[in-house]
Amino acid sequence: MKGGKMEVSAVRDFLLWCTVINLGILLYWWLMFSFAHDWILRFHGKWFKLSVEQFDGIHYAGMAMFKILIFVFNLAPLIALVIVG
């Protein structure tokens, strides 16, 4: 089963890098939202008429959903493979 272990190792590495990349994207999103909030609101305000509360709610919900998807599709399978591996 040496070939099987190689495949599990490759999948584990893949999921690890997917997790790292996606958490990096989430961190970048949060940093931009936190430190460039008004600029992003003005920039998107050219196309979308949103109140500050709507804008904040959309980004908060988007970040929450993205984080949940990272946990479900990257981190949980990675942890399972580490436990089994």
Side-chain angles (χ1 to χ4, degrees):
M1 291 295 288
K2 187 174 183 179
K5 288 190 183 235
M6 236 4 206
E7 292 174 14
V8 170
S9 174
V11 173
R12 195 171 39 227
D13 291 345
F14 173 77
L15 288 172
L16 175 64
W17 280 108
C18 285
T19 303
V20 168
I21 291 167
N22 282 318
L23 288 174
I25 291 168
L26 183 62
L27 177 63
Y28 176 76
W29 186 358
W30 178 79
L31 287 170
M32 289 297 291
F33 184 73
S34 296
F35 296 108
H37 179 273
D38 294 339
W39 178 81
I40 297 170
L41 180 60
R42 282 192 314 273
F43 183 78
H44 287 126
K46 296 174 187 175
W47 300 291
F48 307 104
K49 301 298 178 209
L50 298 170
S51 68
V52 175
E53 292 79 15
Q54 289 172 318
F55 180 77
D56 290 350
I58 289 168
H59 278 274
Y60 182 77
M63 284 187 264
M65 180 60 71
F66 190 59
K67 183 171 51 173
I68 290 168
L69 292 172
I70 293 168
F71 288 165
V72 169
F73 291 110
N74 295 146
L75 193 57
L78 175 62
I79 292 169
L81 284 176
V82 169
I83 292 170
V84 170

